[in-house]
Amino acid sequence: MWSSLKSSIIIVQLLLLFSLFQVPPALAIKKSYIVYLGSHAHGSKVTQPVLDRVTDSHYNFLASFLGSKEKATESIFYSYQRHINGFAAILEEEEAAEIAKHPEVVSVFLNKGKKLHTTRSWGFMRLENENGDVPQMSLWNKAKFGRNTIIANLDTGVWPKSQSFNDKGYGPIPGKWRGICQKSRTNTDGFFCNRKLIGARYFNKGYEAYAGNLNSSYKSALDHDGHGTHTLSTAGGNFVAGASVYGSGNGTAKGGSPMARVATYKVCWPPIDEGECFDADIMAAMDHAINDRVDVISISLGGDPADYFDDGIAVATFHAVKHGIVVVTSAGNSGPDPGSVSNVAPWLITVGASTLDREFQAFVELQNGLRLKGTSLSVPLPEDKFYPLINGAQATASNATDSDAILCKPGTLDPTKVKGKIVACLRGETPRVDKGQQVALAGGVGLILCNDHLSGNELIADAHFLPASQITFKDGQSVFSYINSTSNPQAKLQPPNTQINTKPAPFMASFSSRGPNTITPEILKPDVTAPGVNIIAAYSEDTSPTGLDFDNRRIPFNTESGTSMACPHVSGVAGLLKSLNPFWSPAAIRSAIFTTARTRDNTVNPMQEASKEKGTPFSYGGGHIRPNRAMDPGLVYDLRTEDYLDFLCASGYNQTQLKLFTQQPYRCPKNVSVLNFNYPSITVPELSDSVTVTRRVKNVGSIGTYSALVLEPVGVSVTVEPKSLVFRRRSEEKSFRVTLKNKGYHLKGYVFGKLTWSDGNHRVRSPIVVSTAHPS
């Protein structure tokens, strides 16, 4: 008996001991998700009780998974009530997966962070000739400078005190406007709206769900970054005479639609984990912008390409386009890598970045007589004389490597070796302006920023903190060679000066993201390219021109580069076209801009990459924009909501999802193909034998006959039927077929051609993009 009792005691003790040292189960990790339920079927006027019932339905729906309405209420931080149906909530991964299985759910996806598409750390629009990039008075006058248009910007907010948003001469705010001017709780930052800047909202719950509570001083629509002010003024800024950056580029600043009303929807906040603009906030902003009745939405930000129903921008913008709103987005700054383009949904206008025929020249002179053309917007050297010159690696600090010091990374330069000298630093890995900061902190007097091989000939004018000049890769190699060839190298930097009508221009920016489209290869992206290098526009005076902590300067205008800057150029043009043709669909406006764009530079040669290689439609889409031609495109490739739904059918989405998407039954057509989607380009990946695609064009000009002109891609025969289209009235539509056949050349990669419809006056040009595979 005692033996049995003793054994029992030992077993209990062992169990107790085991329980003390047992590893507890891992705590479930909660993240923020978006539960997308499709569309609402509200009427034109929605009352607050209706919106409250929507939110309550979201609480009840989530409660069925979490066990109580109280838990659901605590979890949900956004209820999308107006046009987008869904909510954003804090959930466990298992909970999100279970919700995704529900038949009333279209998709559940993570609240991901996206980036601003400026190259600052990582327009000033001037009148030009007929072949230039910006609207001439003919378009501006006909469109009344965009006076009837409301342009919205999703970005970092706005600096309302900028003269670009002066409302002098403006009449009453348009009666259709439903928006508000949201201010901070205390309004200590003095934010205001007026008859030009008619609205402002800010959204940060998605950011806070990921990053934690935001500093209260940021919680307003005020632009603490400069990016939002720059992009909004490029799209719709008023006329401002005498604008410049430290005297360079002096002229009259103006947006693409200078008399448009503008509104800001702030969705971007201090960067965290490479994200700053979160999906949940973007969707909330878009839901309000649609309801506020804007005409154009400009979005200079993006993330990695994703499934259309798992991407906040793609989901939200579909609802906007369905309501007739033109949405323009930036292509991204991950070039020149192939397949790097973002914002690839076919209902978006996706914009790459190219140069202007204007340079801010800052020459570098070496004591051996070599004179190299660079660019900068910095202050001049204290004296016009030669200074000792070294490269970063010659000043490597004791705890750094030469490979880091040549890039002038923080803490890599030895002050005893830098003091009083000009330092040549290699571009890459750290911000351009930060390299100048490191030289200045080490006691240097100037910076020569030498492009790496990928940057090639792309020169970006920055308001450097110290005298500086950025030079091309080839010229940079000359500087490094000179430094290594003599015991006492010296150089001087000439003050910046502005030159216009420079050649060749435009050419593609190396940073501009490239195709092919990795989500739907049959859809060419980007759509077009626009000025995105060294663009002068309004800037926030709450930050410095470099955005670096040590820089205390404040200026009303600044240069920025990136597809962020290219995007609002197209947004402004879209505003003019919307004002001129209020009943054109977003697809018609895209087509007009796309098919009238140019693919040759001002030397009448094919547009080049920054590396001087020939550009392709994967760089520039339809080409570099020509707004005046877009005013009268002749024909357009139009799209209706049903066409987009057919596209989604062909992309593999089911009818249950589409019913939720549209709030009405939709039957997918039989044998529907993405190749027949009525896009203004023809892209066929992996053409093994032959394929026939169909397109449809609408006459938006005068009556006449259009003939087909084809430039065949190498190794591909192209046949168009019929070869001519006769239009007897305006708005008449005609269909045609294009048959592409692989000639069996076994070519590698993509080849390019074009189809042009011409009536002798208009030239409606569409790229043909084909990759060939071995015939079966």
Side-chain angles (χ1 to χ4, degrees):
M1 179 179 175
W2 169 246
S3 175
S4 175
L5 180 61
K6 186 177 180 181
S7 297
S8 299
I9 292 171
I10 291 172
I11 291 171
V12 170
Q13 287 175 330
L14 287 171
L15 289 172
L16 288 171
L17 187 64
F18 178 77
S19 67
L20 288 174
F21 290 97
Q22 187 178 16
V23 179
L27 293 174
I29 298 175
K30 291 194 173 188
K31 296 180 180 179
S32 52
Y33 290 85
I34 293 155
V35 178
Y36 177 49
L37 303 173
S39 298
H40 289 295
H42 301 318
S44 58
K45 293 184 178 180
V46 185
T47 62
Q48 189 58 46
V50 171
L51 299 179
D52 293 340
R53 283 197 295 273
V54 169
T55 300
D56 198 56
S57 71
H58 292 158
Y59 290 152
N60 290 331
F61 178 84
L62 186 56
S64 67
F65 292 92
L66 301 188
S68 74
K69 193 171 182 178
E70 182 181 5
K71 288 182 179 179
T73 304
E74 291 175 356
S75 175
I76 292 177
F77 57 90
Y78 274 130
S79 172
Y80 305 123
Q81 306 168 310
R82 292 163 174 79
H83 300 276
I84 301 168
N85 187 8
F87 56 87
I90 306 296
L91 301 169
E92 296 175 7
E93 185 177 351
E94 293 76 10
E95 293 168 342
E98 195 62 30
I99 293 169
K101 298 175 185 177
H102 195 280
E104 293 182 10
V105 173
V106 178
S107 62
V108 178
F109 55 97
L110 278 171
N111 170 37
K112 298 180 290 291
K114 291 176 165 56
K115 295 180 182 179
L116 296 169
H117 283 160
T118 176
T119 68
R120 171 196 324 163
S121 49
W122 338 112
F124 177 115
M125 304 178 101
R126 64 181 186 83
L127 291 175
E128 300 189 14
N129 58 30
E130 177 58 28
N131 293 320
D133 314 304
V134 272
Q136 286 188 286
M137 285 299 176
S138 57
L139 174 53
W140 267 334
N141 285 332
K142 287 184 179 180
K144 298 180 180 178
F145 298 90
R147 189 182 299 273
N148 300 321
T149 307
I150 300 174
I151 299 177
N153 195 38
L154 268 65
D155 215 298
T156 65
V158 69
W159 183 252
K161 296 178 183 178
S162 170
Q163 286 303 301
S164 290
F165 307 115
N166 189 315
D167 68 350
K168 185 177 180 180
Y170 280 75
I173 293 172
K176 70 175 183 178
W177 174 246
R178 290 181 175 177
I180 62 171
C181 184
Q182 184 181 7
K183 302 175 183 178
S184 66
R185 291 182 180 179
T186 59
N187 198 30
T188 53
D189 56 21
F191 190 89
F192 63 90
C193 298
N194 55 28
R195 290 170 298 179
K196 170 68 174 178
L197 175 63
I198 62 174
R201 297 181 188 267
Y202 61 93
F203 305 86
N204 54 32
K205 293 178 182 178
Y207 177 89
E208 290 188 321
Y210 183 91
N213 289 336
L214 187 67
N215 188 310
S216 60
S217 64
Y218 280 95
K219 293 184 179 181
S220 82
L222 192 73
D223 183 6
H224 298 281
D225 177 89
H227 189 277
T229 302
H230 197 283
T231 53
L232 185 56
S233 65
T234 301
N238 205 344
F239 295 90
V240 182
S244 72
V245 180
Y246 295 117
S248 294
N250 186 62
T252 299
K254 49 198 168 290
S257 290
M259 294 301 288
R261 314 301 177 115
V262 296
T264 186
Y265 295 77
K266 185 174 178 179
V267 297
C268 300
W269 309 92
I272 180 169
D273 298 337
E274 298 188 357
E276 47 202 320
C277 324
F278 281 76
D279 278 327
D281 296 326
I282 292 168
M283 291 184 65
M286 289 291 298
D287 199 32
H288 279 280
I290 297 167
N291 200 64
D292 291 343
R293 295 190 173 183
V294 305
D295 299 300
V296 177
I297 298 176
S298 190
I299 306 177
S300 289
L301 56 96
D304 294 333
D307 180 279
Y308 300 124
F309 283 174
D310 290 342
D311 175 54
I313 291 179
V315 167
T317 54
F318 179 86
H319 291 268
V321 171
K322 191 170 70 170
H323 284 81
I325 299 169
V326 182
V327 183
V328 186
T329 58
S330 47
N333 297 342
S334 298
D337 292 345
S340 54
V341 64
S342 65
N343 293 325
V344 297
W347 43 86
L348 302 174
I349 304 177
T350 308
V351 187
S354 40
T355 63
L356 285 165
D357 62 348
R358 176 187 61 196
E359 295 177 353
F360 302 111
Q361 297 177 354
F363 282 88
V364 174
E365 293 186 19
L366 306 180
Q367 202 171 45
N368 66 356
L370 198 59
R371 193 167 187 261
L372 306 171
K373 185 178 72 174
T375 190
S376 181
L377 289 169
S378 65
V379 295
L381 285 164
E383 297 181 60
D384 183 18
K385 68 173 189 178
F386 284 96
Y387 289 81
L389 172 66
I390 61 172
N391 66 52
Q394 292 174 323
T396 305
S398 59
N399 62 342
T401 64
D402 288 353
S403 59
D404 284 343
I406 194 71
L407 292 161
C408 298
K409 290 184 176 181
T412 63
L413 301 179
D414 185 341
T416 63
K417 300 174 182 177
V418 171
K419 187 175 181 181
K421 297 182 177 70
I422 294 173
V423 182
C425 303
L426 186 65
R427 181 178 175 183
E429 296 192 26
T430 58
R432 300 182 303 275
V433 291
D434 184 68
K435 297 177 189 293
Q437 177 186 8
Q438 301 310 315
V439 172
L441 289 173
V445 297
L447 164 72
I448 301 177
L449 179 58
C450 304
N451 274 2
D452 58 8
H453 183 264
L454 285 178
S455 303
N457 300 310
E458 172 193 272
L459 297 180
I460 298 176
D462 294 307
H464 289 280
F465 185 70
L466 81 172
S469 181
Q470 181 186 346
I471 58 178
T472 66
F473 172 71
K474 181 180 177 182
D475 288 345
Q477 295 304 298
S478 298
V479 169
F480 289 130
S481 296
Y482 166 67
I483 291 172
N484 294 330
S485 69
T486 179
S487 59
N488 185 30
Q490 295 194 14
K492 66 178 177 179
L493 307 176
Q494 294 295 338
N497 69 90
T498 305
Q499 294 292 320
I500 60 174
N501 300 319
T502 58
K503 295 180 180 182
F507 61 82
M508 292 305 303
S510 66
F511 59 75
S512 187
S513 291
R514 266 60 170 185
N517 181 339
T518 57
I519 303 301
T520 310
E522 297 85 354
I523 301 297
L524 178 64
K525 291 290 181 174
D527 291 298
V528 291
T529 185
V533 180
N534 301 334
I535 305 302
I536 298 179
Y539 209 66
S540 173
E541 294 185 54
D542 193 61
T543 188
S544 69
T546 63
L548 299 175
D549 292 339
F550 74 97
D551 191 351
N552 295 318
R553 297 173 297 169
R554 299 292 184 269
I555 53 177
F557 289 87
N558 194 20
T559 58
E560 290 270 48
S561 296
T563 55
S564 274
M565 286 62 247
C567 168
H569 279 80
V570 177
S571 303
V573 172
L576 292 176
L577 295 179
K578 187 76 172 178
S579 184
L580 190 63
N581 304 285
F583 299 109
W584 277 15
S585 70
I589 288 174
R590 173 180 52 207
S591 178
I593 296 170
F594 187 114
T595 61
T596 59
R598 59 174 171 163
T599 59
R600 293 186 177 272
D601 61 26
N602 56 5
T603 67
V604 201
N605 288 307
M607 275 182 63
Q608 297 179 341
E609 305 286 359
S611 62
K612 293 195 173 179
E613 296 174 350
K614 183 180 177 181
T616 75
F618 284 150
S619 301
Y620 50 66
H624 191 91
I625 62 169
R626 290 192 291 186
N628 300 301
R629 300 288 179 91
M631 176 176 59
D632 181 23
L635 307 175
V636 295
Y637 292 82
D638 207 358
L639 288 163
R640 297 174 285 268
T641 299
E642 292 76 15
D643 294 309
Y644 291 117
L645 296 177
D646 288 349
F647 165 84
L648 293 172
C649 289
S651 300
Y653 298 94
N654 61 52
Q655 294 181 174
T656 302
Q657 288 175 304
L658 297 184
K659 179 181 178 181
L660 295 170
F661 207 34
T662 61
Q663 280 299 299
Q664 57 188 6
Y666 191 79
R667 184 179 297 276
C668 290
K670 292 182 179 180
N671 303 319
V672 64
S673 170
V674 174
L675 290 174
N676 293 325
F677 183 65
N678 203 43
Y679 218 67
S681 60
I682 297 171
T683 304
V684 182
E686 300 183 6
L687 177 66
S688 59
D689 187 7
S690 68
V691 68
T692 298
V693 303
T694 61
R695 289 293 186 272
R696 182 182 70 249
V697 286
K698 177 189 287 187
N699 180 30
V700 293
S702 55
I703 61 174
T705 300
Y706 283 80
S707 299
L709 307 171
V710 174
L711 176 63
E712 294 181 337
V714 174
V716 179
S717 68
V718 180
T719 306
V720 181
E721 290 292 339
K723 293 180 174 60
S724 63
L725 301 173
V726 180
F727 293 93
R728 294 183 172 84
R729 65 180 186 276
R730 193 176 177 89
S731 297
E732 185 179 6
E733 291 189 274
K734 296 279 187 178
S735 295
F736 61 92
R737 299 174 303 282
V738 180
T739 300
L740 302 99
K741 186 173 183 179
N742 185 348
K743 294 180 179 179
Y745 289 179
H746 298 177
L747 299 171
K748 294 182 179 180
Y750 281 87
V751 289
F752 308 94
K754 61 182 176 181
L755 164 64
T756 304
W757 289 101
S758 177
D759 65 348
N761 182 33
H762 305 90
R763 293 179 64 84
V764 186
R765 193 182 60 82
S766 295
I768 300 174
V769 180
V770 182
S771 71
T772 58
H774 291 187
S776 55

